[in-house]
Protein backbone atom coordinates (compact mmCIF):
# COMPACT_ATOMS: atom_id res chain seq x y z
CA UNK A 1 0.00 0.00 0.00
CA UNK A 2 2.92 2.32 0.68
CA UNK A 3 4.32 1.69 -2.79
CA UNK A 4 0.89 2.34 -4.31
CA UNK A 5 0.49 5.60 -2.36
CA UNK A 6 3.99 6.69 -3.39
CA UNK A 7 3.27 5.94 -7.04
CA UNK A 8 0.00 7.89 -6.91
CA UNK A 9 1.76 10.87 -5.30
CA UNK A 10 4.45 10.77 -8.00
CA UNK A 11 1.84 10.67 -10.77
CA UNK A 12 -0.01 13.59 -9.16
CA UNK A 13 3.17 15.69 -9.06
CA UNK A 14 3.91 14.91 -12.71
CA UNK A 15 0.34 15.77 -13.73
CA UNK A 16 0.53 19.08 -11.87
CA UNK A 17 3.85 19.90 -13.54
CA UNK A 18 2.41 19.11 -16.97
CA UNK A 19 -0.67 21.30 -16.30
CA UNK A 20 1.52 24.22 -15.17
CA UNK A 21 3.78 23.80 -18.22
CA UNK A 22 0.79 23.78 -20.57
CA UNK A 23 -0.62 26.90 -18.89
CA UNK A 24 2.66 28.80 -19.15
CA UNK A 25 3.18 27.70 -22.76
CA UNK A 26 -0.34 28.79 -23.66
CA UNK A 27 0.27 32.26 -22.16
CA UNK A 28 3.59 32.60 -24.01
CA UNK A 29 2.02 31.67 -27.34
CA UNK A 30 -0.95 33.96 -26.65
CA UNK A 31 1.32 36.95 -26.02
CA UNK A 32 3.41 36.17 -29.10
CA UNK A 33 0.25 35.82 -31.19
CA UNK A 34 -1.05 39.19 -29.99
CA UNK A 35 2.27 40.83 -30.83
CA UNK A 36 2.04 39.38 -34.36
CA UNK A 37 -1.52 40.61 -34.85
CA UNK A 38 -3.47 37.43 -34.17
CA UNK A 39 -6.77 37.43 -32.33
CA UNK A 40 -7.05 35.78 -28.92
CA UNK A 41 -9.99 33.59 -29.97
CA UNK A 42 -9.23 31.14 -32.73
CA UNK A 43 -5.69 32.41 -33.36
CA UNK A 44 -6.73 33.88 -36.70
CA UNK A 45 -4.93 36.75 -38.38
CA UNK A 46 -6.58 40.12 -37.82
CA UNK A 47 -7.46 41.37 -41.33
CA UNK A 48 -9.31 44.45 -42.56
CA UNK A 49 -13.04 44.01 -43.08
CA UNK A 50 -13.86 43.39 -46.74
CA UNK A 51 -16.41 46.19 -46.88
CA UNK A 52 -13.94 48.70 -45.45
CA UNK A 53 -11.11 50.18 -47.51
CA UNK A 54 -7.77 48.93 -46.23
CA UNK A 55 -5.74 51.75 -44.71
CA UNK A 56 -2.67 50.44 -46.51
CA UNK A 57 -4.15 50.56 -50.02
CA UNK A 58 -3.17 53.25 -52.49
CA UNK A 59 -6.73 54.59 -52.60
CA UNK A 60 -6.65 55.23 -48.87
CA UNK A 61 -3.63 57.46 -49.35
CA UNK A 62 -5.41 59.88 -51.66
CA UNK A 63 -6.31 63.33 -50.39
CA UNK A 64 -9.89 63.71 -49.20
CA UNK A 65 -11.39 66.80 -50.82
CA UNK A 66 -13.85 67.08 -47.91
CA UNK A 67 -11.06 67.96 -45.51
CA UNK A 68 -10.98 71.61 -44.43
CA UNK A 69 -8.08 73.80 -45.38
CA UNK A 70 -4.80 73.28 -43.59
CA UNK A 71 -4.36 75.42 -40.51
CA UNK A 72 -0.93 77.00 -40.37
CA UNK A 73 0.85 76.31 -37.09
CA UNK A 74 1.81 79.26 -34.92
CA UNK A 75 5.00 77.80 -33.50
CA UNK A 76 8.44 79.07 -34.48
CA UNK A 77 9.91 75.58 -34.04
CA UNK A 78 12.87 74.79 -36.26
CA UNK A 79 12.56 71.61 -38.32
CA UNK A 80 16.22 70.56 -38.15
CA UNK A 81 16.68 67.40 -40.26
CA UNK A 82 19.61 66.16 -38.18
CA UNK A 83 17.72 66.71 -34.95
CA UNK A 84 14.68 64.83 -36.26
CA UNK A 85 16.95 61.96 -37.29
CA UNK A 86 18.51 61.82 -33.81
CA UNK A 87 15.07 61.57 -32.24
CA UNK A 88 13.90 58.91 -34.69
CA UNK A 89 17.04 56.82 -34.13
CA UNK A 90 16.56 56.87 -30.36
CA UNK A 91 12.89 55.98 -30.70
CA UNK A 92 13.60 53.06 -33.04
CA UNK A 93 16.10 51.69 -30.53
CA UNK A 94 13.45 51.69 -27.78
CA UNK A 95 10.79 49.01 -27.30
CA UNK A 96 7.78 50.96 -26.13
CA UNK A 97 5.07 49.37 -23.96
CA UNK A 98 1.46 48.93 -25.03
CA UNK A 99 -0.41 52.24 -25.02
CA UNK A 100 -2.79 52.10 -22.06
CA UNK A 101 -4.56 55.43 -22.57
CA UNK A 102 -8.32 55.05 -22.96
CA UNK A 103 -8.71 56.88 -26.32
CA UNK A 104 -5.66 55.13 -27.81
CA UNK A 105 -6.20 52.32 -30.32
CA UNK A 106 -4.40 50.49 -33.09
CA UNK A 107 -5.18 51.50 -36.64
CA UNK A 108 -7.95 49.30 -38.01
CA UNK A 109 -6.57 46.72 -40.39
CA UNK A 110 -3.00 47.20 -39.19
CA UNK A 111 -0.87 44.35 -37.76
CA UNK A 112 1.05 46.87 -35.64
CA UNK A 113 0.11 47.27 -31.99
CA UNK A 114 -0.53 50.70 -30.48
CA UNK A 115 2.37 51.57 -28.18
CA UNK A 116 3.24 54.57 -26.05
CA UNK A 117 4.15 56.03 -22.68
CA UNK A 118 4.82 59.33 -20.89
CA UNK A 119 8.24 60.73 -20.02
CA UNK A 120 8.40 63.24 -17.17
CA UNK A 121 5.25 63.87 -15.15
CA UNK A 122 2.38 61.52 -15.78
CA UNK A 123 -1.20 62.67 -16.32
CA UNK A 124 -2.48 64.15 -13.05
CA UNK A 125 0.44 62.66 -11.10
CA UNK A 126 -0.35 62.85 -7.39
CA UNK A 127 3.08 61.94 -6.03
CA UNK A 128 4.84 64.38 -8.36
CA UNK A 129 7.42 61.79 -9.36
CA UNK A 130 8.68 61.09 -12.89
CA UNK A 131 7.26 58.04 -14.62
CA UNK A 132 9.24 54.81 -14.44
CA UNK A 133 9.97 55.08 -18.16
CA UNK A 134 11.78 58.36 -17.49
CA UNK A 135 14.11 56.50 -15.15
CA UNK A 136 14.35 53.51 -17.48
CA UNK A 137 15.34 55.54 -20.57
CA UNK A 138 17.34 58.60 -19.46
CA UNK A 139 19.21 58.89 -22.78
CA UNK A 140 15.99 58.89 -24.79
CA UNK A 141 14.55 61.47 -22.41
CA UNK A 142 17.60 63.73 -22.76
CA UNK A 143 17.54 63.51 -26.56
CA UNK A 144 13.83 64.31 -26.87
CA UNK A 145 14.08 67.18 -24.38
CA UNK A 146 17.17 68.62 -26.07
CA UNK A 147 15.64 68.54 -29.56
CA UNK A 148 12.34 69.91 -28.30
CA UNK A 149 14.10 72.84 -26.65
CA UNK A 150 16.28 73.39 -29.71
CA UNK A 151 13.19 73.76 -31.87
CA UNK A 152 11.10 75.67 -29.31
CA UNK A 153 13.60 77.49 -27.03
CA UNK A 154 11.04 79.35 -24.89
CA UNK A 155 8.45 76.58 -24.65
CA UNK A 156 8.08 75.18 -21.14
CA UNK A 157 7.02 71.58 -20.57
CA UNK A 158 6.99 68.89 -17.87
CA UNK A 159 5.96 65.86 -19.93
CA UNK A 160 6.36 64.14 -23.29
CA UNK A 161 3.74 61.71 -24.55
CA UNK A 162 5.30 59.20 -26.96
CA UNK A 163 3.03 57.26 -29.32
CA UNK A 164 3.85 54.61 -31.90
CA UNK A 165 1.23 53.49 -34.42
CA UNK A 166 -1.48 54.85 -32.15
CA UNK A 167 -4.72 56.31 -33.39
CA UNK A 168 -6.56 58.48 -30.87
CA UNK A 169 -10.32 58.69 -31.01
CA UNK A 170 -11.95 62.07 -30.36
CA UNK A 171 -11.00 63.26 -26.88
CA UNK A 172 -9.60 66.23 -24.98
CA UNK A 173 -6.71 66.45 -22.50
CA UNK A 174 -8.18 68.15 -19.47
CA UNK A 175 -5.02 67.73 -17.36
CA UNK A 176 -3.00 70.08 -19.56
CA UNK A 177 -1.94 73.31 -17.88
CA UNK A 178 -0.60 75.01 -21.00
CA UNK A 179 -0.27 74.80 -24.76
CA UNK A 180 1.22 71.74 -26.46
CA UNK A 181 3.89 71.19 -29.09
CA UNK A 182 3.76 68.16 -31.36
CA UNK A 183 5.82 66.49 -34.06
CA UNK A 184 5.43 63.17 -35.91
CA UNK A 185 8.22 61.04 -37.33
CA UNK A 186 8.57 57.84 -39.33
CA UNK A 187 7.63 56.08 -42.54
CA UNK A 188 4.03 57.02 -43.24
CA UNK A 189 1.75 59.46 -45.07
CA UNK A 190 -1.45 61.31 -44.07
CA UNK A 191 -2.15 60.88 -40.34
CA UNK A 192 -2.96 64.54 -39.64
CA UNK A 193 -4.29 65.93 -36.39
CA UNK A 194 -7.93 67.04 -36.50
CA UNK A 195 -8.53 69.87 -34.04
CA UNK A 196 -11.82 71.43 -32.99
CA UNK A 197 -12.16 75.08 -32.03
CA UNK A 198 -14.90 75.47 -29.42
CA UNK A 199 -15.13 79.23 -29.93
CA UNK A 200 -15.70 79.00 -33.68
CA UNK A 201 -17.43 75.58 -33.60
CA UNK A 202 -15.23 74.47 -36.50
CA UNK A 203 -12.71 71.73 -37.30
CA UNK A 204 -9.30 72.23 -38.87
CA UNK A 205 -6.31 70.00 -39.63
CA UNK A 206 -2.65 70.21 -38.72
CA UNK A 207 0.07 68.17 -40.41
CA UNK A 208 2.85 67.44 -37.87
CA UNK A 209 4.87 65.07 -40.09
CA UNK A 210 8.50 66.17 -39.66
CA UNK A 211 7.37 69.63 -38.52
CA UNK A 212 6.53 71.14 -35.15
CA UNK A 213 3.01 72.38 -34.54
CA UNK A 214 1.33 74.19 -31.61
CA UNK A 215 -2.19 73.43 -30.38
CA UNK A 216 -4.45 73.51 -27.33
CA UNK A 217 -4.82 69.94 -26.10
CA UNK A 218 -7.91 70.85 -24.09
CA UNK A 219 -9.82 71.19 -27.35
CA UNK A 220 -11.38 68.08 -28.89
CA UNK A 221 -9.00 66.36 -31.28
CA UNK A 222 -8.30 63.00 -32.91
CA UNK A 223 -5.89 61.27 -35.27
CA UNK A 224 -6.60 60.83 -38.95
CA UNK A 225 -5.91 57.39 -40.46
CA UNK A 226 -2.51 57.06 -42.07
CA UNK A 227 -0.70 54.87 -44.60
CA UNK A 228 2.53 53.15 -43.62
CA UNK A 229 4.14 50.87 -41.04
CA UNK A 230 5.66 53.44 -38.69
CA UNK A 231 4.13 56.59 -37.20
CA UNK A 232 5.70 58.12 -34.09
CA UNK A 233 4.04 61.12 -32.50
CA UNK A 234 5.55 63.22 -29.71
CA UNK A 235 3.45 65.65 -27.69
CA UNK A 236 5.20 68.07 -25.31
CA UNK A 237 2.95 69.58 -22.62
CA UNK A 238 2.73 70.81 -19.03
CA UNK A 239 0.89 68.59 -16.58
CA UNK A 240 -1.48 70.25 -14.12
CA UNK A 241 0.46 68.70 -11.22
CA UNK A 242 3.60 70.73 -11.92
CA UNK A 243 2.97 73.18 -9.05
CA UNK A 244 2.90 70.41 -6.42
CA UNK A 245 6.12 68.66 -7.45
CA UNK A 246 8.73 68.56 -4.68
CA UNK A 247 12.20 70.09 -5.24
CA UNK A 248 14.07 66.78 -5.59
CA UNK A 249 12.08 65.24 -8.49
CA UNK A 250 11.77 68.67 -10.09
CA UNK A 251 15.56 69.07 -10.06
CA UNK A 252 15.94 65.60 -11.56
CA UNK A 253 13.53 66.40 -14.39
CA UNK A 254 15.27 69.72 -15.07
CA UNK A 255 18.60 67.89 -15.18
CA UNK A 256 17.19 65.61 -17.88
CA UNK A 257 16.20 68.66 -19.92
CA UNK A 258 12.58 69.51 -19.09
CA UNK A 259 12.08 73.28 -19.17
CA UNK A 260 10.11 73.82 -15.99
CA UNK A 261 7.20 76.29 -15.95
CA UNK A 262 7.28 79.41 -13.80
CA UNK A 263 4.54 81.30 -12.00
CA UNK A 264 4.87 84.05 -14.59
CA UNK A 265 4.22 81.64 -17.45
CA UNK A 266 1.26 82.62 -19.58
CA UNK A 267 -0.60 79.39 -18.85
CA UNK A 268 -4.29 78.87 -19.40
CA UNK A 269 -6.23 81.36 -17.30
CA UNK A 270 -9.67 79.88 -17.89
CA UNK A 271 -11.01 76.36 -17.94
CA UNK A 272 -12.33 74.91 -21.15
CA UNK A 273 -15.50 73.07 -20.18
CA UNK A 274 -16.92 70.35 -22.40
CA UNK A 275 -20.43 69.02 -21.92
CA UNK A 276 -22.47 66.32 -23.64
CA UNK A 277 -24.28 68.73 -25.96
CA UNK A 278 -21.18 70.60 -27.13
CA UNK A 279 -19.20 67.39 -27.70
CA UNK A 280 -22.06 65.84 -29.66
CA UNK A 281 -22.34 69.00 -31.78
CA UNK A 282 -18.60 68.92 -32.46
CA UNK A 283 -18.77 65.31 -33.62
CA UNK A 284 -21.72 66.03 -35.92
CA UNK A 285 -19.86 69.00 -37.42
CA UNK A 286 -17.37 66.62 -39.04
CA UNK A 287 -17.78 65.75 -42.75
CA UNK A 288 -20.14 62.78 -43.29
CA UNK A 289 -18.30 59.47 -43.36
CA UNK A 290 -16.22 57.12 -41.19
CA UNK A 291 -14.58 59.93 -39.20
CA UNK A 292 -17.91 61.33 -38.04
CA UNK A 293 -19.17 57.85 -37.19
CA UNK A 294 -16.02 57.15 -35.21
CA UNK A 295 -16.33 60.45 -33.29
CA UNK A 296 -19.99 59.82 -32.46
CA UNK A 297 -19.13 56.29 -31.31
CA UNK A 298 -16.37 57.62 -29.04
CA UNK A 299 -18.77 60.20 -27.63
CA UNK A 300 -21.41 57.52 -26.94
CA UNK A 301 -18.83 55.36 -25.14
CA UNK A 302 -17.85 58.35 -23.00
CA UNK A 303 -21.47 58.95 -21.99
CA UNK A 304 -21.85 55.26 -21.14
CA UNK A 305 -18.77 55.35 -18.89
CA UNK A 306 -20.09 58.43 -17.09
CA UNK A 307 -23.36 56.65 -16.35
CA UNK A 308 -21.70 53.61 -14.79
Amino acid sequence: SRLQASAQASMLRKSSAIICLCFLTQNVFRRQAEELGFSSNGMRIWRPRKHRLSTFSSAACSTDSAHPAELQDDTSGLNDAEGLERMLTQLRNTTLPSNSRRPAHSLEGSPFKARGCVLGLSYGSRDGKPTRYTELWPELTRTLCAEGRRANPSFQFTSIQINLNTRYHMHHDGANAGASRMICLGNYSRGRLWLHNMKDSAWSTLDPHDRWIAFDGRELHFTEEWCGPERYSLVYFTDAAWRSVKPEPRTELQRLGFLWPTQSQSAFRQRLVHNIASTDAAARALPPGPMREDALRAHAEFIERCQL
Side-chain angles (χ1 to χ4, degrees):
S1 60
R2 290 182 179 177
L3 291 175
Q4 186 177 5
S6 176
Q8 290 177 347
S10 178
M11 291 181 62
L12 182 61
R13 286 195 297 271
K14 290 180 180 179
S15 299
S16 300
I18 292 173
I19 292 173
C20 290
L21 181 60
C22 290
F23 179 79
L24 292 173
T25 304
Q26 182 182 14
N27 282 342
V28 169
F29 281 125
R30 178 178 57 80
R31 288 194 296 269
Q32 291 178 345
E34 290 176 351
E35 290 292 323
L36 292 172
F38 289 75
S39 63
S40 58
N41 54 346
M43 301 291 286
R44 293 177 298 179
I45 296 178
W46 180 31
R47 299 184 186 277
R49 298 175 184 175
K50 291 184 178 180
H51 66 276
R52 288 289 302 276
L53 186 65
S54 171
T55 54
F56 293 101
S57 69
S58 58
C61 297
S62 62
T63 302
D64 188 347
S65 59
H67 292 170
E70 290 283 320
L71 175 67
Q72 298 297 323
D73 59 288
D74 60 354
T75 176
S76 58
L78 301 176
N79 301 311
D80 175 32
E82 293 183 0
L84 301 185
E85 186 62 31
R86 282 191 291 269
M87 289 196 293
L88 186 57
T89 299
Q90 284 281 353
L91 290 167
R92 285 173 171 168
N93 291 333
T94 305
T95 302
L96 299 172
S98 298
N99 199 324
S100 60
R101 293 194 64 195
R102 190 182 297 275
H105 298 271
S106 298
L107 188 64
E108 184 176 0
S110 169
F112 304 107
K113 193 173 184 178
R115 298 184 177 277
C117 64
V118 177
L119 301 179
L121 287 186
S122 181
Y123 294 95
S125 177
R126 295 183 179 180
D127 56 11
K129 295 181 180 179
T131 65
R132 63 189 183 96
Y133 300 109
T134 313
E135 301 173 355
L136 184 62
W137 302 317
E139 192 60 34
L140 173 65
T141 304
R142 291 191 190 95
T143 299
L144 298 185
C145 285
E147 297 305 329
R149 293 179 65 169
R150 189 194 309 274
N152 307 275
S154 61
F155 180 69
Q156 300 171 334
F157 60 98
T158 65
S159 314
I160 304 173
Q161 171 70 48
I162 305 176
N163 304 295
L164 171 60
N165 293 330
T166 299
R167 187 185 182 200
Y168 281 90
H169 293 322
M170 187 181 70
H171 71 288
H172 62 91
D173 300 313
N176 288 13
S180 300
R181 295 291 186 272
M182 178 181 180
I183 191 167
C184 292
L185 308 167
N187 181 19
Y188 77 96
S189 60
R190 295 185 72 213
R192 296 174 296 180
L193 175 71
W194 280 69
L195 181 67
H196 186 256
N197 186 307
M198 180 180 287
K199 182 179 179 181
D200 298 333
S201 300
W203 287 91
S204 57
T205 56
L206 292 165
D207 186 3
H209 195 182
D210 291 340
R211 60 194 288 261
W212 291 91
I213 63 171
F215 71 101
D216 183 349
R218 302 173 307 159
E219 294 275 13
L220 292 168
H221 56 282
F222 65 89
T223 312
E224 180 184 65
E225 291 188 352
W226 65 88
C227 310
E230 178 193 57
R231 182 184 183 274
Y232 285 98
S233 63
L234 305 173
V235 182
Y236 294 61
F237 65 98
T238 294
D239 190 273
W242 70 272
R243 293 183 178 86
S244 60
V245 176
K246 296 180 179 179
E248 185 176 349
R250 181 181 64 195
T251 301
E252 175 63 19
L253 287 171
Q254 288 176 312
R255 188 182 65 81
L256 289 170
F258 290 91
L259 188 57
W260 208 254
T262 61
Q263 294 295 342
S264 60
Q265 182 195 25
S266 56
F268 296 134
R269 298 180 181 179
Q270 297 179 346
R271 293 183 60 190
L272 197 61
V273 180
H274 296 272
N275 55 47
I276 293 177
S278 64
T279 305
D280 181 76
R284 296 185 184 280
L286 285 164
M291 285 190 300
R292 179 195 284 182
E293 296 172 6
D294 184 73
L296 289 171
R297 184 164 50 249
H299 179 50
E301 292 174 356
F302 173 76
I303 296 175
E304 185 178 353
R305 289 195 303 269
C306 292
Q307 294 174 344
L308 295 178

